[in-house]
Amino acid sequence: MINEEEYVKYFGVDTAPKNLKRLETLSLHTLQSIMVMNIPREDSPHYKHFKYAVMEQINYFDMNSDLIDSSGSGGYTLGSYSEGGSNNKENVSKSMNRVSPVAYDILMSHGLLYSGLGGHYE
């Protein structure tokens, strides 16, 4: 989804994080845990904004590596959240503690957190 060239261009930096793919995977899981919508399809006008949110979340994790703890079980832990939690409501609450404020604003301003009628994007 996100390649090094896109990351470098978006942030105006010289290099992307060395663990870009891992941060992307963790970022996608984190953002999906708070979204009530499907990820927009690539041909959707909302897709590029979703990618911006993912890049912001990647950067947030890169700058705040203390939010990420590896677990030996093959899953992952981010802050106090552990993959495969028992209660979805509990997981959403814990995920919000790790979401980049900029990523959240992007998702919110482009209707990707909206759960009302007509808000279903693919």
mmCIF file of all heavy atoms in Angstrom, residues 69-112:
data_model
loop_
_atom_site.group_PDB
_atom_site.id
_atom_site.type_symbol
_atom_site.label_atom_id
_atom_site.label_comp_id
_atom_site.label_asym_id
_atom_site.label_seq_id
_atom_site.Cartn_x
_atom_site.Cartn_y
_atom_site.Cartn_z
ATOM 1 N N ASP A 69 5.281 -2.768 21.283
ATOM 2 C CA ASP A 69 6.025 -3.820 21.974
ATOM 3 C C ASP A 69 5.789 -5.112 21.224
ATOM 4 O O ASP A 69 4.650 -5.477 20.965
ATOM 5 C CB ASP A 69 5.545 -4.015 23.416
ATOM 6 C CG ASP A 69 5.734 -2.778 24.261
ATOM 7 O OD1 ASP A 69 6.809 -2.173 24.194
ATOM 8 O OD2 ASP A 69 4.783 -2.428 24.974
ATOM 9 N N SER A 70 6.834 -5.805 20.869
ATOM 10 C CA SER A 70 6.668 -7.101 20.204
ATOM 11 C C SER A 70 6.285 -8.149 21.227
ATOM 12 O O SER A 70 6.716 -8.105 22.363
ATOM 13 C CB SER A 70 7.968 -7.527 19.533
ATOM 14 O OG SER A 70 8.296 -6.635 18.508
ATOM 15 N N SER A 71 5.483 -9.094 20.783
ATOM 16 C CA SER A 71 5.185 -10.237 21.648
ATOM 17 C C SER A 71 5.727 -11.481 20.971
ATOM 18 O O SER A 71 5.754 -11.576 19.760
ATOM 19 C CB SER A 71 3.675 -10.365 21.885
ATOM 20 O OG SER A 71 3.035 -10.880 20.752
ATOM 21 N N GLY A 72 6.139 -12.422 21.740
ATOM 22 C CA GLY A 72 6.704 -13.648 21.197
ATOM 23 C C GLY A 72 5.661 -14.608 20.656
ATOM 24 O O GLY A 72 5.995 -15.649 20.133
ATOM 25 N N SER A 73 4.385 -14.259 20.782
ATOM 26 C CA SER A 73 3.331 -15.195 20.395
ATOM 27 C C SER A 73 2.952 -15.108 18.930
ATOM 28 O O SER A 73 2.050 -15.791 18.489
ATOM 29 C CB SER A 73 2.087 -14.918 21.241
ATOM 30 O OG SER A 73 1.579 -13.631 20.926
ATOM 31 N N GLY A 74 3.614 -14.234 18.173
ATOM 32 C CA GLY A 74 3.250 -14.063 16.780
ATOM 33 C C GLY A 74 2.220 -12.966 16.596
ATOM 34 O O GLY A 74 1.973 -12.519 15.503
ATOM 35 N N GLY A 75 1.619 -12.508 17.679
ATOM 36 C CA GLY A 75 0.697 -11.379 17.644
ATOM 37 C C GLY A 75 1.485 -10.109 17.894
ATOM 38 O O GLY A 75 2.697 -10.068 17.718
ATOM 39 N N TYR A 76 0.771 -9.084 18.322
ATOM 40 C CA TYR A 76 1.483 -7.865 18.659
ATOM 41 C C TYR A 76 0.765 -7.144 19.775
ATOM 42 O O TYR A 76 -0.406 -7.362 20.043
ATOM 43 C CB TYR A 76 1.659 -6.957 17.445
ATOM 44 C CG TYR A 76 0.363 -6.376 16.923
ATOM 45 C CD1 TYR A 76 -0.120 -5.166 17.394
ATOM 46 C CD2 TYR A 76 -0.378 -7.049 15.957
ATOM 47 C CE1 TYR A 76 -1.311 -4.643 16.923
ATOM 48 C CE2 TYR A 76 -1.562 -6.527 15.489
ATOM 49 C CZ TYR A 76 -2.023 -5.316 15.973
ATOM 50 O OH TYR A 76 -3.198 -4.804 15.508
ATOM 51 N N THR A 77 1.520 -6.301 20.443
ATOM 52 C CA THR A 77 0.966 -5.454 21.483
ATOM 53 C C THR A 77 1.361 -4.032 21.162
ATOM 54 O O THR A 77 2.511 -3.766 20.819
ATOM 55 C CB THR A 77 1.540 -5.852 22.865
ATOM 56 O OG1 THR A 77 1.216 -7.211 23.113
ATOM 57 C CG2 THR A 77 0.977 -4.972 23.961
ATOM 58 N N LEU A 78 0.406 -3.140 21.234
ATOM 59 C CA LEU A 78 0.664 -1.713 21.058
ATOM 60 C C LEU A 78 0.175 -1.031 22.324
ATOM 61 O O LEU A 78 -1.024 -1.026 22.597
ATOM 62 C CB LEU A 78 -0.101 -1.163 19.855
ATOM 63 C CG LEU A 78 0.279 -1.737 18.497
ATOM 64 C CD1 LEU A 78 -0.715 -1.294 17.443
ATOM 65 C CD2 LEU A 78 1.662 -1.287 18.113
ATOM 66 N N GLY A 79 1.088 -0.467 23.095
ATOM 67 C CA GLY A 79 0.676 0.117 24.359
ATOM 68 C C GLY A 79 0.011 -0.950 25.213
ATOM 69 O O GLY A 79 0.571 -2.003 25.463
ATOM 70 N N SER A 80 -1.229 -0.695 25.618
ATOM 71 C CA SER A 80 -1.941 -1.662 26.453
ATOM 72 C C SER A 80 -2.830 -2.592 25.636
ATOM 73 O O SER A 80 -3.512 -3.436 26.188
ATOM 74 C CB SER A 80 -2.803 -0.918 27.476
ATOM 75 O OG SER A 80 -3.792 -0.152 26.819
ATOM 76 N N TYR A 81 -2.823 -2.467 24.332
ATOM 77 C CA TYR A 81 -3.668 -3.299 23.465
ATOM 78 C C TYR A 81 -2.905 -4.529 23.002
ATOM 79 O O TYR A 81 -1.750 -4.451 22.632
ATOM 80 C CB TYR A 81 -4.123 -2.494 22.246
ATOM 81 C CG TYR A 81 -4.833 -3.318 21.204
ATOM 82 C CD1 TYR A 81 -6.150 -3.690 21.366
ATOM 83 C CD2 TYR A 81 -4.168 -3.735 20.055
ATOM 84 C CE1 TYR A 81 -6.811 -4.443 20.421
ATOM 85 C CE2 TYR A 81 -4.812 -4.490 19.098
ATOM 86 C CZ TYR A 81 -6.138 -4.834 19.289
ATOM 87 O OH TYR A 81 -6.790 -5.582 18.347
ATOM 88 N N SER A 82 -3.577 -5.649 23.025
ATOM 89 C CA SER A 82 -2.999 -6.888 22.522
ATOM 90 C C SER A 82 -3.924 -7.451 21.459
ATOM 91 O O SER A 82 -5.137 -7.497 21.659
ATOM 92 C CB SER A 82 -2.848 -7.888 23.663
ATOM 93 O OG SER A 82 -2.348 -9.099 23.172
ATOM 94 N N GLU A 83 -3.379 -7.852 20.325
ATOM 95 C CA GLU A 83 -4.188 -8.422 19.246
ATOM 96 C C GLU A 83 -4.960 -9.620 19.771
ATOM 97 O O GLU A 83 -4.431 -10.433 20.511
ATOM 98 C CB GLU A 83 -3.286 -8.846 18.097
ATOM 99 C CG GLU A 83 -4.056 -9.405 16.921
ATOM 100 C CD GLU A 83 -3.142 -9.826 15.794
ATOM 101 O OE1 GLU A 83 -2.211 -10.602 16.049
ATOM 102 O OE2 GLU A 83 -3.360 -9.368 14.679
ATOM 103 N N GLY A 84 -6.221 -9.687 19.361
ATOM 104 C CA GLY A 84 -7.040 -10.810 19.763
ATOM 105 C C GLY A 84 -7.707 -10.604 21.111
ATOM 106 O O GLY A 84 -8.031 -11.565 21.784
ATOM 107 N N GLY A 85 -7.945 -9.342 21.498
ATOM 108 C CA GLY A 85 -8.609 -9.045 22.762
ATOM 109 C C GLY A 85 -9.995 -9.653 22.823
ATOM 110 O O GLY A 85 -10.585 -10.030 21.819
ATOM 111 N N SER A 86 -10.550 -9.700 24.000
ATOM 112 C CA SER A 86 -11.811 -10.395 24.202
ATOM 113 C C SER A 86 -13.042 -9.554 23.895
ATOM 114 O O SER A 86 -14.097 -10.098 23.631
ATOM 115 C CB SER A 86 -11.891 -10.888 25.646
ATOM 116 O OG SER A 86 -11.819 -9.783 26.519
ATOM 117 N N ASN A 87 -12.931 -8.247 23.908
ATOM 118 C CA ASN A 87 -14.097 -7.398 23.773
ATOM 119 C C ASN A 87 -13.818 -6.310 22.744
ATOM 120 O O ASN A 87 -12.897 -5.521 22.920
ATOM 121 C CB ASN A 87 -14.434 -6.787 25.132
ATOM 122 C CG ASN A 87 -15.658 -5.925 25.121
ATOM 123 O OD1 ASN A 87 -15.949 -5.255 24.138
ATOM 124 N ND2 ASN A 87 -16.369 -5.924 26.228
ATOM 125 N N ASN A 88 -14.617 -6.238 21.664
ATOM 126 C CA ASN A 88 -14.381 -5.258 20.607
ATOM 127 C C ASN A 88 -14.469 -3.828 21.131
ATOM 128 O O ASN A 88 -13.671 -2.986 20.768
ATOM 129 C CB ASN A 88 -15.372 -5.464 19.460
ATOM 130 C CG ASN A 88 -14.997 -4.646 18.246
ATOM 131 O OD1 ASN A 88 -13.820 -4.570 17.898
ATOM 132 N ND2 ASN A 88 -15.969 -4.040 17.609
ATOM 133 N N LYS A 89 -15.425 -3.524 21.995
ATOM 134 C CA LYS A 89 -15.565 -2.182 22.553
ATOM 135 C C LYS A 89 -14.313 -1.810 23.336
ATOM 136 O O LYS A 89 -13.816 -0.690 23.258
ATOM 137 C CB LYS A 89 -16.804 -2.120 23.449
ATOM 138 C CG LYS A 89 -17.121 -0.750 23.961
ATOM 139 C CD LYS A 89 -18.418 -0.766 24.752
ATOM 140 C CE LYS A 89 -18.751 0.614 25.260
ATOM 141 N NZ LYS A 89 -19.971 0.611 26.050
ATOM 142 N N GLU A 90 -13.800 -2.756 24.094
ATOM 143 C CA GLU A 90 -12.586 -2.544 24.860
ATOM 144 C C GLU A 90 -11.403 -2.293 23.924
ATOM 145 O O GLU A 90 -10.580 -1.415 24.165
ATOM 146 C CB GLU A 90 -12.326 -3.775 25.725
ATOM 147 C CG GLU A 90 -11.076 -3.710 26.570
ATOM 148 C CD GLU A 90 -10.880 -5.003 27.353
ATOM 149 O OE1 GLU A 90 -11.816 -5.420 28.057
ATOM 150 O OE2 GLU A 90 -9.791 -5.580 27.219
ATOM 151 N N ASN A 91 -11.311 -3.053 22.828
ATOM 152 C CA ASN A 91 -10.216 -2.890 21.870
ATOM 153 C C ASN A 91 -10.249 -1.519 21.211
ATOM 154 O O ASN A 91 -9.215 -0.891 21.015
ATOM 155 C CB ASN A 91 -10.267 -3.976 20.802
ATOM 156 C CG ASN A 91 -9.898 -5.328 21.355
ATOM 157 O OD1 ASN A 91 -9.317 -5.436 22.430
ATOM 158 N ND2 ASN A 91 -10.256 -6.364 20.631
ATOM 159 N N VAL A 92 -11.450 -1.038 20.841
ATOM 160 C CA VAL A 92 -11.570 0.282 20.219
ATOM 161 C C VAL A 92 -11.089 1.342 21.184
ATOM 162 O O VAL A 92 -10.346 2.251 20.817
ATOM 163 C CB VAL A 92 -13.023 0.553 19.759
ATOM 164 C CG1 VAL A 92 -13.195 1.997 19.336
ATOM 165 C CG2 VAL A 92 -13.394 -0.372 18.616
ATOM 166 N N SER A 93 -11.492 1.238 22.429
ATOM 167 C CA SER A 93 -11.084 2.217 23.436
ATOM 168 C C SER A 93 -9.562 2.241 23.584
ATOM 169 O O SER A 93 -8.947 3.304 23.629
ATOM 170 C CB SER A 93 -11.736 1.880 24.771
ATOM 171 O OG SER A 93 -11.260 2.732 25.779
ATOM 172 N N LYS A 94 -8.957 1.074 23.652
ATOM 173 C CA LYS A 94 -7.508 1.007 23.788
ATOM 174 C C LYS A 94 -6.806 1.480 22.521
ATOM 175 O O LYS A 94 -5.747 2.103 22.585
ATOM 176 C CB LYS A 94 -7.078 -0.414 24.142
ATOM 177 C CG LYS A 94 -7.446 -0.799 25.556
ATOM 178 C CD LYS A 94 -7.042 -2.224 25.867
ATOM 179 C CE LYS A 94 -7.448 -2.582 27.287
ATOM 180 N NZ LYS A 94 -7.100 -3.959 27.613
ATOM 181 N N SER A 95 -7.374 1.213 21.368
ATOM 182 C CA SER A 95 -6.775 1.651 20.110
ATOM 183 C C SER A 95 -6.725 3.161 20.023
ATOM 184 O O SER A 95 -5.784 3.727 19.484
ATOM 185 C CB SER A 95 -7.558 1.100 18.920
ATOM 186 O OG SER A 95 -7.421 -0.290 18.848
ATOM 187 N N MET A 96 -7.756 3.821 20.533
ATOM 188 C CA MET A 96 -7.799 5.278 20.459
ATOM 189 C C MET A 96 -6.617 5.923 21.170
ATOM 190 O O MET A 96 -6.191 7.006 20.804
ATOM 191 C CB MET A 96 -9.116 5.810 21.049
ATOM 192 C CG MET A 96 -10.309 5.571 20.161
ATOM 193 S SD MET A 96 -10.131 6.299 18.503
ATOM 194 C CE MET A 96 -9.985 8.024 18.900
ATOM 195 N N ASN A 97 -6.059 5.249 22.157
ATOM 196 C CA ASN A 97 -4.909 5.786 22.874
ATOM 197 C C ASN A 97 -3.650 5.799 22.020
ATOM 198 O O ASN A 97 -2.683 6.437 22.388
ATOM 199 C CB ASN A 97 -4.651 4.973 24.155
ATOM 200 C CG ASN A 97 -5.758 5.114 25.151
ATOM 201 O OD1 ASN A 97 -6.416 6.144 25.228
ATOM 202 N ND2 ASN A 97 -5.989 4.067 25.925
ATOM 203 N N ARG A 98 -3.652 5.074 20.918
ATOM 204 C CA ARG A 98 -2.470 4.974 20.066
ATOM 205 C C ARG A 98 -2.646 5.608 18.700
ATOM 206 O O ARG A 98 -1.749 5.554 17.887
ATOM 207 C CB ARG A 98 -2.097 3.508 19.887
ATOM 208 C CG ARG A 98 -1.653 2.836 21.147
ATOM 209 C CD ARG A 98 -1.356 1.381 20.917
ATOM 210 N NE ARG A 98 -2.167 0.769 19.892
ATOM 211 C CZ ARG A 98 -3.442 0.383 20.043
ATOM 212 N NH1 ARG A 98 -4.034 0.558 21.168
ATOM 213 N NH2 ARG A 98 -4.097 -0.169 19.063
ATOM 214 N N VAL A 99 -3.784 6.193 18.432
ATOM 215 C CA VAL A 99 -4.041 6.747 17.106
ATOM 216 C C VAL A 99 -3.439 8.140 17.002
ATOM 217 O O VAL A 99 -3.630 8.985 17.884
ATOM 218 C CB VAL A 99 -5.560 6.794 16.822
ATOM 219 C CG1 VAL A 99 -5.849 7.507 15.521
ATOM 220 C CG2 VAL A 99 -6.128 5.384 16.788
ATOM 221 N N SER A 100 -2.746 8.356 15.913
ATOM 222 C CA SER A 100 -2.195 9.676 15.634
ATOM 223 C C SER A 100 -3.330 10.687 15.551
ATOM 224 O O SER A 100 -4.313 10.456 14.838
ATOM 225 C CB SER A 100 -1.449 9.634 14.292
ATOM 226 O OG SER A 100 -1.355 10.918 13.730
ATOM 227 N N PRO A 101 -3.219 11.812 16.242
ATOM 228 C CA PRO A 101 -4.262 12.835 16.138
ATOM 229 C C PRO A 101 -4.452 13.328 14.702
ATOM 230 O O PRO A 101 -5.580 13.599 14.283
ATOM 231 C CB PRO A 101 -3.762 13.969 17.045
ATOM 232 C CG PRO A 101 -2.825 13.306 18.002
ATOM 233 C CD PRO A 101 -2.207 12.169 17.234
ATOM 234 N N VAL A 102 -3.381 13.408 13.941
ATOM 235 C CA VAL A 102 -3.484 13.846 12.547
ATOM 236 C C VAL A 102 -4.207 12.794 11.714
ATOM 237 O O VAL A 102 -5.091 13.115 10.908
ATOM 238 C CB VAL A 102 -2.092 14.165 11.950
ATOM 239 C CG1 VAL A 102 -2.197 14.547 10.489
ATOM 240 C CG2 VAL A 102 -1.413 15.272 12.745
ATOM 241 N N ALA A 103 -3.859 11.518 11.904
ATOM 242 C CA ALA A 103 -4.539 10.438 11.173
ATOM 243 C C ALA A 103 -6.023 10.440 11.509
ATOM 244 O O ALA A 103 -6.876 10.305 10.622
ATOM 245 C CB ALA A 103 -3.916 9.083 11.509
ATOM 246 N N TYR A 104 -6.349 10.614 12.776
ATOM 247 C CA TYR A 104 -7.749 10.646 13.199
ATOM 248 C C TYR A 104 -8.489 11.805 12.521
ATOM 249 O O TYR A 104 -9.591 11.628 12.003
ATOM 250 C CB TYR A 104 -7.844 10.779 14.721
ATOM 251 C CG TYR A 104 -9.269 10.784 15.216
ATOM 252 C CD1 TYR A 104 -9.929 9.594 15.472
ATOM 253 C CD2 TYR A 104 -9.962 11.983 15.413
ATOM 254 C CE1 TYR A 104 -11.245 9.583 15.913
ATOM 255 C CE2 TYR A 104 -11.272 11.979 15.848
ATOM 256 C CZ TYR A 104 -11.906 10.782 16.096
ATOM 257 O OH TYR A 104 -13.211 10.777 16.525
ATOM 258 N N ASP A 105 -7.868 12.975 12.505
ATOM 259 C CA ASP A 105 -8.490 14.143 11.859
ATOM 260 C C ASP A 105 -8.730 13.908 10.371
ATOM 261 O O ASP A 105 -9.770 14.293 9.835
ATOM 262 C CB ASP A 105 -7.635 15.394 12.050
ATOM 263 C CG ASP A 105 -7.674 15.939 13.471
ATOM 264 O OD1 ASP A 105 -8.568 15.519 14.252
ATOM 265 O OD2 ASP A 105 -6.813 16.771 13.801
ATOM 266 N N ILE A 106 -7.781 13.272 9.705
ATOM 267 C CA ILE A 106 -7.940 12.979 8.271
ATOM 268 C C ILE A 106 -9.119 12.031 8.066
ATOM 269 O O ILE A 106 -9.977 12.273 7.217
ATOM 270 C CB ILE A 106 -6.647 12.387 7.677
ATOM 271 C CG1 ILE A 106 -5.549 13.452 7.628
ATOM 272 C CG2 ILE A 106 -6.907 11.822 6.270
ATOM 273 C CD1 ILE A 106 -4.167 12.907 7.293
ATOM 274 N N LEU A 107 -9.161 10.962 8.835
ATOM 275 C CA LEU A 107 -10.259 10.006 8.707
ATOM 276 C C LEU A 107 -11.604 10.670 9.001
ATOM 277 O O LEU A 107 -12.580 10.466 8.276
ATOM 278 C CB LEU A 107 -10.051 8.818 9.647
ATOM 279 C CG LEU A 107 -8.864 7.903 9.358
ATOM 280 C CD1 LEU A 107 -8.711 6.865 10.457
ATOM 281 C CD2 LEU A 107 -8.995 7.241 7.994
ATOM 282 N N MET A 108 -11.645 11.472 10.038
ATOM 283 C CA MET A 108 -12.896 12.125 10.426
ATOM 284 C C MET A 108 -13.335 13.136 9.370
ATOM 285 O O MET A 108 -14.499 13.155 8.974
ATOM 286 C CB MET A 108 -12.714 12.825 11.772
ATOM 287 C CG MET A 108 -13.965 13.526 12.262
ATOM 288 S SD MET A 108 -15.337 12.400 12.571
ATOM 289 C CE MET A 108 -14.973 11.935 14.224
ATOM 290 N N SER A 109 -12.423 13.945 8.885
ATOM 291 C CA SER A 109 -12.802 15.007 7.949
ATOM 292 C C SER A 109 -13.199 14.474 6.575
ATOM 293 O O SER A 109 -13.844 15.178 5.807
ATOM 294 C CB SER A 109 -11.681 16.039 7.815
ATOM 295 O OG SER A 109 -10.549 15.476 7.221
ATOM 296 N N HIS A 110 -12.858 13.241 6.273
ATOM 297 C CA HIS A 110 -13.233 12.650 4.987
ATOM 298 C C HIS A 110 -14.303 11.577 5.140
ATOM 299 O O HIS A 110 -14.521 10.770 4.231
ATOM 300 C CB HIS A 110 -12.002 12.124 4.252
ATOM 301 C CG HIS A 110 -11.126 13.246 3.811
ATOM 302 N ND1 HIS A 110 -11.398 14.009 2.704
ATOM 303 C CD2 HIS A 110 -10.016 13.782 4.372
ATOM 304 C CE1 HIS A 110 -10.494 14.959 2.596
ATOM 305 N NE2 HIS A 110 -9.651 14.841 3.602
ATOM 306 N N GLY A 111 -14.984 11.576 6.283
ATOM 307 C CA GLY A 111 -16.129 10.705 6.486
ATOM 308 C C GLY A 111 -15.805 9.243 6.663
ATOM 309 O O GLY A 111 -16.686 8.398 6.545
ATOM 310 N N LEU A 112 -14.577 8.908 6.972
ATOM 311 C CA LEU A 112 -14.203 7.508 7.098
ATOM 312 C C LEU A 112 -14.450 6.946 8.497
ATOM 313 O O LEU A 112 -14.249 5.766 8.730
ATOM 314 C CB LEU A 112 -12.745 7.311 6.684
ATOM 315 C CG LEU A 112 -12.487 7.630 5.210
ATOM 316 C CD1 LEU A 112 -11.002 7.670 4.919
ATOM 317 C CD2 LEU A 112 -13.184 6.627 4.315
#
